[in-house]
Amino acid sequence: MRSSGQIDQGGAEGVPTGSPAAADPVADPREADFQALIDADQRIEPRDWMPDGYRKTLIRQIAQHAHSEIIGMQPEGNWITRAPSLRRKAILMAKVQDEAGHGLYLYCAAETLGVDRAELIDLLHQGRQKYSSIFNYPTLTWADVGAIGWLVDGAAITNQIPLCRCSFGPYARAMVRVCKEESFHQRQGFESLYTLSHGSPEQHEMAQDAVNRWWWPSIEMLGPPDTDSTHSAQSTAWGIKRFSNDALRQRFVDMVAPQAVVLGLTPPDPELRWNEQRGHYDFGEPDFEELRRVVGGDGPCNRQRAAHHLKAHEDGAWVREASAAYAAKHAATTAAA
Amino acid sequence: MSEETPAPLWEVFIRSKRGLSHNHVGSLHAPDAEMALRNARDVYTRRMEGVSIWVVPSAVITASSPDEKDSFFDPAADKPYRHPTFYSIPKEVQQL
């Protein structure tokens, strides 16, 4: 899977949000009941009263998460026709299909907040809603498919597991489903990279090259550092965000660093080492300037990804028109009978 | 950008195995019931999660309002005698 901390932090992309600063100074009396439910670790359901900022924050976050799933089909879809075996091809198709499914679970959750999926897709096409920075990197070799499964899906899982306990019921339920399916994604990636790494010297080199390119973007996709994270406090109070970006990043590095040893691959971070005292891995400073650039639209593939999505949407218009016409005709026949 | 009318929304219910009732799993868009069923199969049962699917147009569902939940569910709140634990039974009665 596929979400990223930086999209959970509206501030990173300068998308206006219903932040506390924008909240109505005259507090609604229902707000106390709402907050009491959250503080009691209860879930908020779609028809409950909720502050405007909560609704807006969730729509933005869930939509951007959904867009990430859908755009995330592109880098891997790029390799379906060239997968090295039927087994790998079947696995990759199943995975890309899952990403489509995850996008749909999430659009469905967003729609319970009173927006229509078509509106959200328009916002994506207009560049007014973002998706995860990670999908703006190209997949240059077959090994990239393995690296994405291991690292990108690994980072996404780290971010998504706490979202299974998010205060908004439909989002939390969608995340439970996503996380269940996601563990296959990470394992197939690990297995694929392991096979390459223990194959011929050329295959090993290809796996190492993929890890060199995907390591830092995966660490960066967990979002800007806590010091730059503008919406964390309110999102935490609302039970949307459970752990800070830096805490999730540490958890991710602690998970993948020992796995890299088993893979026989070396992460491109000379500062990566176990810190006995902290009980965690130390690691180098991610290039957050690069993250800002990629989120801001200047990654290697931003234009290509957006153009492809728009083209696929427009090319599919005749299918939607035809099925609507068929449904209308069929409804008329049924009514007449 | 999109001038098309979005396909209607359907709520999806799935029976995960024989002997269990259908549970709500989510929603999806489809132009008609038949397509809604096919889409529901692809979206919600990729791993054999179901043996039967219902799709219902979201627009036809009538729901209780959360605003009046206290008064709406009130009638049940003061009737503990509807529960077996309300009754004290002499100890010598082993099973009742």
Side-chain angles (χ1 to χ4, degrees):
Chain A
M1 169 18 305
R2 303 284 131 128
S3 90
S4 76
Q6 96 268 7
I7 58 178
D8 301 341
Q9 305 296 327
E13 333 118 56
V15 176
T17 67
S19 62
D24 188 339
V26 185
D28 189 296
R30 290 169 292 187
E31 184 143 6
D33 293 339
F34 164 85
Q35 192 63 49
L37 277 176
I38 289 175
D39 295 344
D41 209 18
Q42 294 274 315
R43 297 293 176 260
I44 303 300
E45 295 296 341
R47 282 162 53 90
D48 289 335
W49 181 88
M50 59 186 82
D52 212 33
Y54 179 82
R55 185 184 300 275
K56 281 185 185 154
T57 298
L58 276 169
I59 290 175
R60 190 198 73 244
Q61 178 170 331
I62 300 173
Q64 295 183 355
H65 194 162
H67 299 330
S68 300
E69 300 281 358
I70 300 297
I71 298 286
M73 295 164 74
Q74 292 185 40
E76 289 175 290
N78 181 35
W79 281 94
I80 288 177
T81 57
R82 292 171 291 164
S85 67
L86 189 56
R87 178 177 184 268
R88 295 287 177 201
K89 184 184 287 206
I91 291 168
L92 186 54
M93 278 198 292
K95 178 173 192 288
V96 173
Q97 239 182 344
D98 272 357
E99 308 301 359
H102 297 177
L104 291 174
Y105 304 156
L106 286 158
Y107 284 126
C108 151
E111 285 191 310
T112 67
L113 289 160
V115 285
D116 195 87
R117 185 178 72 189
E119 285 171 58
L120 302 176
I121 291 173
D122 275 354
L123 289 169
L124 173 68
H125 289 160
Q126 293 162 20
R128 291 168 58 199
Q129 279 181 343
K130 310 277 187 189
Y131 53 87
S132 175
S133 59
I134 197 80
F135 304 117
N136 291 315
Y137 291 89
T139 40
L140 303 179
T141 73
W142 167 251
D144 287 21
V145 172
I148 288 178
W150 177 47
L151 291 173
V152 176
D153 291 324
I157 291 171
T158 308
N159 190 45
Q160 289 179 138
I161 286 175
L163 286 172
C164 295
R165 293 190 295 128
C166 162
S167 62
F168 185 58
Y171 192 23
R173 293 192 285 273
M175 293 320 300
V176 169
R177 199 182 294 275
V178 167
C179 285
K180 263 190 207 162
E181 300 182 354
E182 204 67 47
S183 57
F184 132 62
H185 296 184
Q186 205 198 4
R187 287 179 75 128
Q188 66 82 34
F190 184 91
E191 187 209 61
S192 176
L193 266 191
Y194 186 91
T195 306
L196 285 173
S197 176
H198 294 81
S200 68
E202 291 81 6
Q203 287 172 325
H204 178 86
E205 197 185 324
M206 189 163 80
Q208 181 63 55
D209 168 65
V211 169
N212 290 348
R213 285 180 290 107
W214 289 93
W215 180 265
W216 285 112
S218 302
I219 287 177
E220 287 156 18
M221 78 180 258
L222 288 157
D226 294 352
T227 43
D228 291 1
S229 221
T230 40
H231 294 282
S232 280
Q234 182 61 80
S235 275
T236 304
W238 276 335
I240 298 173
K241 193 169 178 60
R242 301 244 173 198
F243 299 97
S244 78
N245 294 353
D246 287 337
L248 292 172
R249 199 175 346 264
Q250 180 70 61
R251 192 176 292 182
F252 172 62
V253 172
D254 288 348
M255 173 177 75
V256 290
Q259 292 171 354
V261 178
V262 180
L263 282 171
L265 299 169
T266 313
D269 179 358
E271 294 174 55
L272 181 71
R273 69 176 58 86
W274 177 251
N275 182 326
E276 189 70 53
Q277 235 170 356
R278 292 200 308 127
H280 290 291
Y281 280 86
D282 288 338
F283 55 100
E285 173 77 2
D287 184 352
F288 291 116
E289 199 39 55
E290 177 185 342
L291 173 66
R292 224 180 309 276
R293 249 189 346 262
V294 177
V295 170
D298 241 352
C301 300
N302 294 54
R303 285 166 202 82
Q304 181 188 335
R305 300 289 186 238
H308 182 88
H309 189 278
L310 183 61
K311 181 176 185 301
H313 187 71
E314 286 174 351
D315 288 353
W318 72 271
V319 178
R320 295 189 294 276
E321 280 160 26
S323 59
Y326 176 83
K329 188 174 150 191
H330 196 69
T333 324
T334 317
Chain B
M1 229 182 262
S2 65
E3 282 133 39
E4 333 164 10
T5 319
L9 195 63
W10 302 76
E11 299 299 323
V12 181
F13 299 78
I14 291 185
R15 181 198 301 288
S16 57
K17 60 178 185 183
R18 288 180 178 278
L20 298 179
S21 54
H22 287 76
N23 273 332
H24 183 244
V25 294
S27 63
L28 48 75
H29 289 276
D32 59 25
E34 196 188 327
M35 283 298 292
L37 269 182
R38 284 172 180 273
N39 290 353
R41 177 199 60 190
D42 292 344
V43 177
Y44 291 105
T45 66
R46 286 191 304 283
R47 289 174 176 77
M48 317 270 299
E49 290 95 336
V51 295
S52 163
I53 302 177
W54 289 348
V55 289
V56 179
S58 306
V60 304
I61 290 181
T62 306
S64 62
S65 163
D67 293 340
E68 55 186 42
K69 71 172 186 303
D70 292 341
S71 55
F72 191 73
F73 293 105
D74 224 0
D78 57 355
K79 297 177 181 62
Y81 45 83
R82 282 175 170 167
H83 297 277
T85 48
F86 180 75
Y87 303 92
S88 49
I89 304 294
K91 272 198 175 58
E92 50 272 36
V93 181
Q94 298 277 325
Q95 280 183 328
L96 187 76

